[in-house]
């Protein structure tokens, strides 16, 4: 007798991953664009499930907790590109930045965080760290991110005062029950254009990171370049609201 299958096994992860990749490709193509990047959000999930997604070809992974990320990172292949997408306490910046294959910190939402990351990069002598500014586009108190009106200022701060950081885009969580024409995503797109203009960057040179399990196709239609999908790939989390 076979033991009953766990809720998420390697096969179901491969299937779910391929399904999401197919939808991303289809939606992007319908908009006449290259496929958006997929970040597999693996917070709270065990190493075996991440390894299964890696074996299926996935390379970009997202985590929300510094301790969890720096524990998982060294136990998995070193060509994984880690995205830190959670709230960051300044005193954890150095621990986070010490992870060699940390690819980007998507959740810079105040000058203090940028300063702490910059200091850590300089202290460790690592190459400039890619960052995104996280914007709270839904107005919900519970969500992190700077106010939309602060985006340009924070982007300027990263660009001008933080030599160790490289601004590559903007990130938002958005609003879960947003309409077919999502206001939150439109706000982020507007902020992106304002930042590109202010910093004298070419239009389209910065990335938009928006869209999660419930709304990634909508986000792509709204111009997202990178979607962060967790539960649709790895199954529901035991603590679904821990980070939202
Ligand atoms: C957890 C999380 C995700 C993934 O959420 P799902 O709904 O499981 O796809 C994406 N972005 C952030 C910032 C998260 O905290």
């Amino acid at each position: 007798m076979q033991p009953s299958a766990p809720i998420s096994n390697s096969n179901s992860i491969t299937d779910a991953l391929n399904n999401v990749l197919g939808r991303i490709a289809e939606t992007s193509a319908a908009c006449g664009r290259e496929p958006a990047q997929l970040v597999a959000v693996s917070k709270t999930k065990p190493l075996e499930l991440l390894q299964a997604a890696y074996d299926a070809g996935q390379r970009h992974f997202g985590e929300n907790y510094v301790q969890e990320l720096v524990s998982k990172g060294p136990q998995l292949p070193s060509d994984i590109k880690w995205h830190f997408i959670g709230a960051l306490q300044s005193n954890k910046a150095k621990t986070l930045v010490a992870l060699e294959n940390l690819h980007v910190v998507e959740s810079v939402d105040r000058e203090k965080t940028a300063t702490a990351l910059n200091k850590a990069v300089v202290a460790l002598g690592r190459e400039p760290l890619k960052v995104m500014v996280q914007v709270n586009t839904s107005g919900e108190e519970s969500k992190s991110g700077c106010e939309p009106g602060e985006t340009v200022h924070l982007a300027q701060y990263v660009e001008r005062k933080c030599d160790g950081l490289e601004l590559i885009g903007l990130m938002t969580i958005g609003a879960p029950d947003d309409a077919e024409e999502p206001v939150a995503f439109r706000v982020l797109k507007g902020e992106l254009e304002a930042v590109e203009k202010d910093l004298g960057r070419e239009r389209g040179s910065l990335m938009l990171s928006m869209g999660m399990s419930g709304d990634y196709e909508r986000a792509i239609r709204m111009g997202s370049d990178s979607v962060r999908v967790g539960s649709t790939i790895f199954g529901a989390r035991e603590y679904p609201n821990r980070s939202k």
Side-chain angles (χ1 to χ4, degrees):
M1 275 271 289
Q2 291 277 322
S4 61
I7 294 167
S8 294
N9 59 30
S10 309
N11 287 337
S12 65
I13 297 244
T14 305
D15 289 349
L17 184 66
N18 286 333
N19 185 270
V20 170
L21 286 169
R23 283 161 181 261
I24 290 174
E26 218 171 276
T27 311
S28 303
C31 303
R33 304 171 51 215
E34 291 292 306
Q37 166 179 280
L38 171 63
V39 178
V41 176
S42 47
K43 61 186 176 218
T44 79
K45 297 298 176 183
L47 293 174
E48 306 85 78
L49 299 192
L50 281 74
Q51 183 69 49
Y54 178 91
D55 292 341
Q58 182 63 26
R59 289 297 177 270
H60 289 263
F61 288 79
E63 289 279 343
N64 289 57
Y65 312 103
V66 172
Q67 232 39 60
E68 184 177 350
L69 172 52
V70 300
S71 147
K72 283 174 168 175
Q75 300 184 66
L76 287 162
S78 60
D79 63 337
I80 285 182
K81 293 174 191 293
W82 292 106
H83 293 233
F84 185 76
I85 59 173
L88 179 63
Q89 289 168 282
S90 300
N91 62 359
K92 299 258 177 72
K94 210 167 169 185
T95 307
L96 177 63
V97 169
L99 179 71
E100 258 174 60
N101 50 340
L102 176 66
H103 178 65
V104 56
V105 174
E106 297 199 13
S107 44
V108 171
D109 64 352
R110 65 195 71 189
E111 288 186 7
K112 198 177 167 198
T113 316
T115 306
L117 285 169
N118 188 54
K119 271 193 188 154
V121 169
V122 173
L124 294 166
R126 70 170 275 172
E127 62 189 45
L129 174 68
K130 293 179 174 59
V131 298
M132 295 187 185
V133 165
Q134 181 177 358
V135 185
N136 181 346
T137 53
S138 70
E140 290 163 277
E141 289 278 332
S142 62
K143 292 200 178 142
S144 16
C146 69
E147 295 296 314
E150 299 169 350
T151 318
V152 169
H153 182 83
L154 187 50
Q156 284 174 352
Y157 182 81
V158 170
E159 178 97 343
R160 297 184 187 149
K161 306 278 193 229
C162 304
D163 285 345
L165 306 183
E166 180 196 349
L167 181 73
I168 65 160
L170 302 183
M171 182 269 254
T172 197
I173 291 179
D177 304 317
D178 225 342
E180 198 42 45
E181 257 293 288
V183 177
F185 291 162
R186 194 156 352 99
V187 167
L188 194 69
K189 199 173 179 193
E191 290 305 307
L192 188 86
E193 286 165 8
V195 169
E196 286 176 342
K197 195 162 169 228
D198 183 84
L199 298 182
R201 300 272 190 104
E202 215 174 294
R203 188 93 179 256
S205 59
L206 294 175
M207 292 180 89
L208 277 176
S209 169
M210 57 187 198
M212 318 199 317
S213 286
D215 55 13
Y216 68 92
E217 291 167 283
R218 219 184 301 150
I220 292 170
R221 287 196 287 271
M222 293 298 291
S224 183
D225 302 291
S226 183
V227 296
R228 310 177 309 272
V229 180
S231 43
T232 296
I233 297 170
F234 295 109
R237 288 178 295 275
E238 253 179 83
Y239 308 105
N241 296 316
R242 209 169 134 199
S243 74
K244 289 215 177 150

